[in-house]
């Protein structure tokens, strides 16, 4: 394990976190325009499931165990990006 794996994991997962937040905001906007939150929630759950399935297949870290340090760093960066975008950026704007 080297620094390149860590950096690649952090960058890929941070970008995927950003894409997931964009997807959630788009689906919530669609659900609000349709005035049907149940359908929006179902689409959000299905989309999140498909997103998670795709993320686990396309990243080069799919063969690592969940406790591998590079995978843990990626999961933490994904979570931090989501938290910052949802909570901090929403408060500022």
């Amino acid at each position: 394990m080297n620094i390149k794996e860590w950096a690649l994991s952090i960058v890929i997962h941070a970008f995927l976190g950003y894409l997931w937040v964009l997807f959630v905001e788009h689906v919530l906007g669609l659900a609000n325009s349709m005035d049907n939150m149940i359908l929006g929630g179902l689409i959000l759950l299905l989309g999140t499931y498909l997103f998670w399935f795709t993320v686990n297949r396309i990243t080069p870290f799919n063969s690592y165990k969940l406790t591998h340090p590079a995978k843990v760093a990626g999961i933490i960066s994904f979570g931090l990006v989501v938290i910052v975008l949802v909570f901090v950026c929403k408060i500022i704007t």
Side-chain angles (χ1 to χ4, degrees):
M1 179 177 68
N2 55 17
I3 298 296
K4 182 181 174 185
E5 284 182 355
W6 279 61
L8 186 63
S9 177
I10 290 170
V11 168
I12 287 174
H13 285 89
F15 179 69
L16 290 171
Y18 178 72
L19 286 178
W20 185 74
V21 169
L22 286 177
F23 168 74
V24 168
E25 288 179 353
H26 181 70
V27 168
L28 288 178
L30 270 163
N32 286 338
S33 69
M34 292 187 306
D35 290 329
N36 192 347
M37 292 304 279
I38 294 174
L39 182 61
L42 289 174
I43 292 171
L44 184 63
L45 286 175
L46 179 65
T48 300
Y49 172 74
L50 292 174
F51 184 82
W52 184 255
F53 182 73
T54 305
V55 164
N56 285 333
R57 299 283 294 186
I58 63 169
T59 59
F61 309 105
N62 62 350
S63 61
Y64 292 160
K65 291 183 179 179
L66 189 60
T67 58
H68 192 278
K71 196 160 191 172
V72 170
I75 292 169
I76 290 172
S77 69
F78 182 91
L80 284 175
V81 165
V82 169
I83 288 170
V84 166
L85 287 174
V86 170
F87 293 115
V88 176
C89 292
K90 294 295 180 185
I91 292 172
I92 293 173
T93 59

